[in-house]
Amino acid sequence: LTALSPDGEVRWQQETDMDGRGIHGTPVVTEGTVYIGAYDGILYAFDAQSGDKQWENKLGGSIGGSPAYDGDRIYVGVEYPDPEGSTFAVDPDSGDVLWEDSESRPTDHPHSTPAIDPVTGKMKVGSNDGNLYAWEESEMEFKWSFETDPQNDTDGEIKAPITAYDGAAFFGSWDERIYR
């Protein structure tokens, strides 16, 4: 992970587990801290000015998407080798797990960045199983899942970030469709 000045000068660099296939997402930067998940399954927090590691937490096999921040929690989808997956809410100050979906949803590698929808109060994340999952953000209670077109012959994997706008979720799928 590299922090650059506006003129392109390297301010600091930090490494994740180099055997873990690196970083696939983008960081969340807020309140002086940089949060990033890596394919080593660790969620990291670095000081934005110095690059000093504040904490790290091994959550699973791999983190392929970017974390999301709602002002209180960091949300991230985590992959397990089976292939399975889960979704976590983490304390931004300590890295402690505040919540993990008890049913290990999504059921296949989640690569998408979670979306936090303030209009509906839902947190949503997509997965390689072709489903979009939603939880009530305040209680972290599972609410629903939406399956991409199961009649389509192509994969319905949801790998890109989810966008929340005006009470709806927008996302693309490998079945060559965009959903609302």
Side-chain angles (χ1 to χ4, degrees):
L1 181 66
T2 302
L4 302 171
S5 69
D7 61 1
E9 209 172 300
V10 174
R11 288 188 176 167
W12 56 262
Q13 289 184 309
Q14 286 285 358
E15 287 187 3
T16 62
D17 174 5
M18 296 309 288
D19 293 330
R21 298 186 313 268
I23 297 170
H24 290 213
T26 57
V28 168
V29 182
T30 184
E31 300 176 20
T33 303
V34 178
Y35 303 95
I36 188 71
Y39 241 72
D40 57 10
I42 298 174
L43 182 64
Y44 295 89
F46 299 104
D47 181 271
Q49 291 300 313
S50 68
D52 293 339
K53 188 186 312 174
Q54 295 176 339
W55 54 258
E56 66 179 56
N57 191 341
K58 175 83 170 163
L59 298 176
S62 303
I63 299 174
S66 304
Y69 178 65
D70 72 351
D72 294 317
R73 297 173 274 209
I74 301 290
Y75 296 97
V76 66
V78 177
E79 304 173 16
Y80 303 122
D82 292 346
E84 289 186 72
S86 194
T87 308
F88 288 82
V90 175
D91 182 283
D93 296 322
S94 66
D96 293 339
V97 173
L98 301 173
W99 168 84
E100 178 186 4
D101 183 74
S102 62
E103 300 298 320
S104 291
R105 283 176 294 252
T107 58
D108 195 352
H109 293 150
H111 285 278
S112 78
T113 300
I116 300 153
D117 187 346
V119 173
T120 64
K122 304 282 188 296
M123 187 274 296
K124 301 168 185 119
V125 69
S127 179
N128 282 0
D129 64 8
N131 287 291
L132 180 71
Y133 295 90
W135 293 265
E136 186 72 39
E137 188 188 9
S138 61
E139 305 296 323
M140 297 314 303
E141 179 182 331
F142 180 73
K143 286 303 191 185
W144 51 261
S145 65
F146 171 83
E147 185 176 9
T148 56
D149 187 355
Q151 307 305 315
N152 195 320
D153 290 337
T154 59
D155 292 334
E157 297 172 3
I158 304 168
K159 293 184 178 273
I162 310 304
T163 299
Y165 176 74
D166 197 27
F170 297 84
F171 62 95
S173 168
W174 279 24
D175 68 5
E176 301 176 354
R177 295 172 185 220
I178 296 174
Y179 293 88
R180 176 181 193 265

